[in-house]
């Protein structure tokens, strides 16, 4: 491998959320990206390499989108610490690309005002100039450049306009630190200067560090000052002096920066015609989608449509995969001599992997819909209409977005909690996120619904599935309320959320992500699920009973897996499960979808017929010792409820451990969710029995 | 195919699967859930 | 005695009204955030939607604010 060229410049890219920061990052770095973590904290660190206009190697660091360097969430703390050069292993950047939305300069320049105070060269990427023009805004680029004292590059990042100019600006031999900045009130400036002298570090960064310390809230200040009592006393004394002179240390710098921004905008931005207070297209949509009643109807309607599509559209491709799988099994069965090897290949590998792969179409459709919701800007609206409900249990509407992502998978959901400012709220969200039904539960629900109501139409099937998702949501709410009142007490946060304008989703992007997910899913089926299937097969096949004419059922019962199933049968019998379902439950603690492949293997080994029947038929025909069917409607419901509520995912346990930085929370989560699952399934089964259902 | 060869193949498959899972668990990755959550593994 | 005029806040103002921020409390942590998002004295906001929470347009951005938070923002009607 060629040696990596020496890095000429390290550049950070920063800006408010929804400014096209990621588009510029991707356009500059292409596939040369690297995603890792900052040490100690769990915020993702995304870096990429690119070459300047003279071929010099540059490293680009993507900072999380934020409105201000004033810290309120773990994401924002990282942005600030990197820019102050306080993160070990991440050198202070040589320059900052500040990405601004040209149509909204009077707000986005605030962050630039903070960057200019850092004494790092800044390059302004003025993105979406086309949108600004459409809105009748004329920006005097030269004037803006002079007022800010930094290069200003007009861009339309989505079409690649301005990238070359940006690279040229970054490649200049020297980048100047601007001498323009917001003028602070003189009293405040004096206190900042005095405090800077007490701090150690880079000459440029101590000033901004001093300013941040002065404007921190008391509880955060103690953490930031790291127990330096002289520094703390000095900060408190400075604040007292400022108050005496009629200045609020938190409000004064903000007001000074905005006053400066207004001045800059007044001389460089010219507006023609009506100002931005007219209702836009987004506002008209919002009048429906955020309406008290229509908003809810739209939300429920969208979810219902999603689940119906999952059944209707996925049906045909699922049938093809199932048919292909059976054909392969039949062919292999015919070409291998009877014995353990054939059993391994047919009952273990093909049945085990095939039964999971069948659900690929449904999972892709789920991801397609979630991608649509995310890209169009609807997610923020969902958080908005959910806020009322969320605030009942003491959570912020923001907590709903991680919960909604958890419908795809709890892992991105749990990672999305990083934007939640309050630690306790964040932990409550992490604790309940796995209760939202993820895509791995889909196979279990699908097979159970097929057994529960084989002849029903799609609408009732989608209805039952929607109910399962709802049970998860309700459980998440109840548990969140309980945790907020007991172990993770904190005030109900107030809603403050930006609603980005609606944008047409880029289908290419969504299809690309679906493709990536398909690859990941198939790779997982071919590796982990394959390995687990082989092991499960071994567990279900060995040791063999000594008498040679044992029936298949006796062989299964005698195997290690069978014994495990029998061992836990007393615990799960009240839920309506037999020992074979018990094997499936135990196996799916590694990953939920393994339940389906385990069931497939169990009934295939047991049947030992030449032709591979459909798993649904096999399960439907399964009988208890007294001749009654095993999978009664009540048992199916009980199994589904168990899967809704149980924490059966090793990957989630690992991610919760990482995000909470302790084993305490993931272990607690496993305990409470397993208990909840058992109780839920017990109530469904025994309650149903008492009411006369079977 | 003789019964012994079959036994050996089966044994190898089971041990291979076990080894794969154990080694995989030991290897540190960014997101090994395979859930398709989109978190990329570090590129080399 | 002077009659007590109830303060007009972002939560009590009517929907669709163009408003100007009169005052935002200086020492409260919630307001520090609002201030940084651009809610300063004399800035013009428009209330777009009202419900469990309020949506308002501030410098070209739609922001959703909880009702309690809106109570912290004192406004006055503003004739363009």
């Amino acid at each position: 491998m060629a040696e990596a060229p020496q890095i000429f410049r390290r550049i950070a890219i920063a800006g408010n959320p929804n400014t096209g920061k990621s588009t510029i990052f991707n356009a500059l770095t292409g596939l040369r990206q690297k995603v890792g973590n900052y040490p100690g904290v769990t915020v993702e660190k995304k870096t990429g390499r690119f070459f300047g206009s003279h071929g010099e190697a540059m490293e680009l660091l993507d900072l999380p989108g934020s409105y201000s360097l004033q810290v309120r969430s773990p994401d924002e703390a990282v942005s600030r610490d990197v820019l102050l050069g306080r993160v070990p292993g991440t050198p202070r950047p040589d320059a900052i690309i500040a990405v601004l939305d040209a149509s909204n300069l009077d707000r986005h320049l605030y962050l630039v005002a903070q960057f200019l105070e850092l004494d790092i060269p800044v390059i302004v990427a003025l993105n979406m100039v086309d949108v600004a023009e459409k809105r009748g805004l004329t920006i005097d680029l030269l004037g803006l450049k002079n007022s800010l004292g930094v290069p200003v590059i007009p861009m339309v990042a989505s079409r690649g306009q301005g990238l070359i100019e940006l690279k040229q600006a970054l490649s200049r031999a020297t980048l100047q630190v601007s001498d323009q900045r917001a003028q602070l009130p003189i009293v405040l400036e004096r206190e900042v200067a005095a405090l800077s002298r007490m701090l150690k570090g880079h000459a440029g960064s101590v000033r901004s560090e001093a300013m941040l310390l002065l404007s921190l809230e008391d509880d955060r200040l103690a953490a930031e000052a790291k127990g330096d009592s002289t520094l703390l006393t000095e900060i408190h004394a400075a604040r007292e002096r400022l108050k005496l002179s009629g200045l609020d240390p938190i409000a004064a710098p903000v007001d000074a920066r905005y006053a400066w921004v207004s001045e800059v905008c007044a001389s460089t931005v010219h507006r023609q015609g009506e100002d931005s207070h007219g209702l836009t297209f987004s506002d008209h949509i919002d009048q429906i989608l955020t309406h008290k009643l229509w908003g809810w109807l739209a939300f429920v309607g969208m979810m219902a449509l999603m689940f119906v599509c999952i059944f209707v559209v996925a049906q045909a491709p699922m049938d093809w995969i199932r048919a292909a799988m059976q054909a392969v099994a039949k062919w292999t069965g015919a070409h291998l001599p009877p014995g353990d090897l054939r059993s391994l290949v047919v009952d273990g590998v093909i049945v085990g992997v095939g039964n999971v792969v069948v659900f690929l179409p449904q999972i892709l459709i789920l991801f397609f819909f979630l991608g649509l919701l995310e890209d169009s800007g609807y997610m923020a609206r969902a958080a908005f209409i959910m806020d009322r409900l969320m605030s009942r249990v003491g959570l912020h509407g923001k907590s709903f977005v991680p919960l909604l992502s958890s419908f795809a998978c709890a892992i991105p959901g749990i990672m999305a909690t990083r934007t939640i400012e309050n630690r306790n709220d964040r932990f409550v969200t992490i604790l309940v996120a796995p209760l939202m039904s993820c895509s791995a539960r889909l196979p279990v629900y699908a097979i159970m619904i097929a057994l529960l109501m084989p002849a029903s139409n799609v609408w009732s099937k989608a209805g039952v599935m929607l109910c399962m998702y709802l049970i998860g949501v309700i459980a998440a709410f109840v548990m969140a309320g309980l945790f907020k009142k007991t172990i993770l007490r904190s005030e109900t946060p107030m809603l403050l959320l930006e609603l980005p304008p609606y944008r047409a989703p880029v289908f290419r992007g969504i299809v690309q992500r679906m493709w990536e997910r398909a690859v990941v899913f198939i790779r997982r089926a071919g590796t982990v699920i394959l390995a687990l299937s082989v092991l499960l097969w071994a567990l279900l096949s060995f040791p063999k009973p000594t008498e040679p004419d044992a029936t298949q059922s006796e062989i299964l019962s005698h195997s290690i897996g069978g014994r495990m199933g029998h061992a836990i049968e007393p615990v799960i019998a009240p839920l309506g499960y037999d020992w074979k379902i018990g094997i499936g439950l135990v196996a799916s603690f590694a990953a939920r979808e393994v339940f389906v492949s385990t069931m497939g293997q169990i009934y295939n080994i047991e049947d030992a017929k030449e032709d591979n029947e459909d798993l649904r038929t096999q399960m439907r025909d399964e009988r208890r010792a007294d001749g009654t069917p095993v999978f009664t409607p009540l048992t199916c419901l009980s199994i589904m409820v168990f899967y809704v509520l149980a924490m059966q995912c090793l990957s989630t346990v690992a991610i919760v451990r990482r995000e909470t930085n302790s084993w305490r929370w993931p272990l607690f989560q496993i305990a409470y969710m397993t208990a909840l699952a058992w109780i839920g399934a017990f109530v469904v089964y025994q309650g149903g029995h008492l009411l006369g259902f079977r | 195919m003789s019964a012994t060869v079959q036994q050996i193949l089966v044994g190898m498959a089971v041990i291979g699967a076990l080894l794969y899972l154990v080694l995989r668990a030991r290897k540190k990755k960014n997101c090994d859930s395979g859930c398709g959550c989109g978190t990329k593994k570090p590129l080399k | 005695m002077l009659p007590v005029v109830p303060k007009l806040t972002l939560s009590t103002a009517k929907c669709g009204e163009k408003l100007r921020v009169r005052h935002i409390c200086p020492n409260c942590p919630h307001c520090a955030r609002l201030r940084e998002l651009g809610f300063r004295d004399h800035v013009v906001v428009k209330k777009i939607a009202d419900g469990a929470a309020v949506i308002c347009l501030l410098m070209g951005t739609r922001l959703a604010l909880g009702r309690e938070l809106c109570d912290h923002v004192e406004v006055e009607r503003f004739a363009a």
Side-chain angles (χ1 to χ4, degrees), chain A residues 67-68 70 72 76 104 107 110 248 251 254-255 258 276-277 280 283 384 388 494-499 501, chain C residues 18 26-27 29 32-33 35-38 40 44 46 48 52-53 55 57 59-66 69:
Chain A
Y67 296 103
S68 152
Q70 195 72 272
R72 279 181 193 83
E76 287 174 327
N104 212 342
R107 210 157 77 84
Y110 179 80
D248 177 70
V254 180
D255 287 341
Y258 266 114
S276 59
H277 284 272
T280 60
D283 293 325
F384 173 76
R388 188 148 81 170
M494 295 186 190
L495 177 75
L496 182 54
L497 188 77
E498 185 184 340
L499 302 177
Chain C
K18 212 170 187 181
N27 289 325
R33 186 60 157 195
R35 200 178 283 275
E36 284 196 304
L37 281 172
R40 294 158 294 132
V44 178
K46 184 171 180 176
I48 303 178
I55 301 181
L57 188 66
M59 296 194 281
T61 310
R62 271 166 293 271
L63 290 169
L65 279 84
L69 203 52

Side-chain angles (χ1 to χ4, degrees), chain A residues 57-72:
Chain A
M58 312 252 199
E59 191 176 77
L60 192 61
L61 172 65
D62 192 11
L63 292 178
S66 61
Y67 296 103
S68 152
L69 292 182
Q70 195 72 272
V71 175
R72 279 181 193 83

Side-chain angles (χ1 to χ4, degrees), chain C:
Chain C
M1 217 171 76
L2 285 169
V4 182
V5 183
K7 273 194 291 186
L8 186 66
T9 64
L10 203 51
S11 58
T12 50
K14 258 189 267 163
C15 217
E17 261 183 331
K18 212 170 187 181
L19 307 157
R20 185 155 57 190
V21 177
R22 242 173 82 99
H23 182 69
I24 181 160
C25 31
N27 289 325
C28 113
H30 308 295
C31 291
R33 186 60 157 195
L34 281 179
R35 200 178 283 275
E36 284 196 304
L37 281 172
F39 277 94
R40 294 158 294 132
D41 300 352
H42 311 306
V43 81
V44 178
V45 290
K46 184 171 180 176
K47 188 165 166 179
I48 303 178
D50 201 343
V54 169
I55 301 181
C56 61
L57 188 66
L58 172 86
M59 296 194 281
T61 310
R62 271 166 293 271
L63 290 169
L65 279 84
R67 291 210 82 92
E68 308 90 333
L69 203 52
C70 288
D71 287 333
H72 290 255
V73 186
E74 200 186 326
V75 291
E76 60 190 358
R77 284 191 192 90
F78 170 71

Side-chain angles (χ1 to χ4, degrees), chain A residues 162-378:
Chain A
L163 276 176
I164 295 173
E165 291 82 350
L166 181 64
K167 276 190 186 180
Q168 279 171 343
L170 291 167
S171 300
R172 281 186 207 165
T174 49
L175 292 173
Q176 296 285 325
V177 175
S178 168
D179 51 0
Q180 302 289 330
R181 64 182 57 165
Q183 182 70 50
L184 297 186
I186 191 75
V187 201
L188 182 62
E189 194 70 72
R190 209 162 45 211
E191 295 295 351
V192 169
L195 204 57
S196 316
R197 284 194 286 274
M198 294 187 67
L199 297 166
K200 288 182 214 91
H202 184 273
S205 65
V206 285
R207 187 183 174 277
S208 23
E209 190 142 7
M211 189 125 76
L212 283 168
L213 286 174
L214 265 182
S215 54
L216 275 179
E217 294 151 28
D218 281 341
D219 52 335
R220 294 201 189 256
L221 181 62
E224 290 283 329
K226 295 183 189 83
D228 186 342
S229 56
T230 22
L231 187 64
L232 266 176
T233 335
E234 191 48 46
I235 293 170
H236 285 298
R239 284 186 180 180
E240 281 311 310
R241 285 193 293 273
L242 284 173
K243 276 188 188 142
L244 278 177
S245 52
L247 269 185
D248 177 70
I250 296 175
V254 180
D255 287 341
R257 286 182 202 122
Y258 266 114
W260 176 79
V261 169
S262 304
E263 252 174 64
V264 172
C265 285
S267 60
T268 54
V269 183
H270 307 286
R271 195 182 297 276
Q272 289 154 357
E274 173 66 8
D275 66 3
S276 59
H277 284 272
L279 286 188
T280 60
F281 174 64
S282 289
D283 293 325
H284 289 295
I285 303 181
D286 270 345
Q287 281 176 346
I288 299 166
L289 291 187
T290 58
H291 189 269
K292 264 178 266 182
L293 177 67
W294 306 128
W296 274 99
L297 285 180
F299 179 75
V300 174
M302 269 185 255
M303 291 293 127
L305 181 74
M306 178 167 102
F307 290 119
V308 169
C309 280
I310 283 175
F311 278 101
V312 177
V313 182
Q315 197 53 55
M318 283 176 76
D319 287 341
W320 301 332
I321 299 176
R322 208 173 276 133
M325 182 196 107
Q326 282 167 0
V328 171
K330 205 168 180 180
W331 185 87
T332 325
H335 286 77
L336 279 176
D340 280 344
L341 186 63
R342 184 167 90 178
S343 176
L344 170 69
V345 175
V346 177
D347 305 325
V349 175
I350 298 176
V351 171
V353 175
N355 271 319
V356 174
V357 173
V358 160
F359 296 98
L360 177 64
Q362 291 190 332
I363 288 168
L364 286 185
I365 293 172
L366 180 77
F367 276 115
F368 173 75
F369 271 92
L370 288 177
L372 271 189
L373 295 184
E374 217 165 290
D375 278 17
S376 60
Y378 181 74

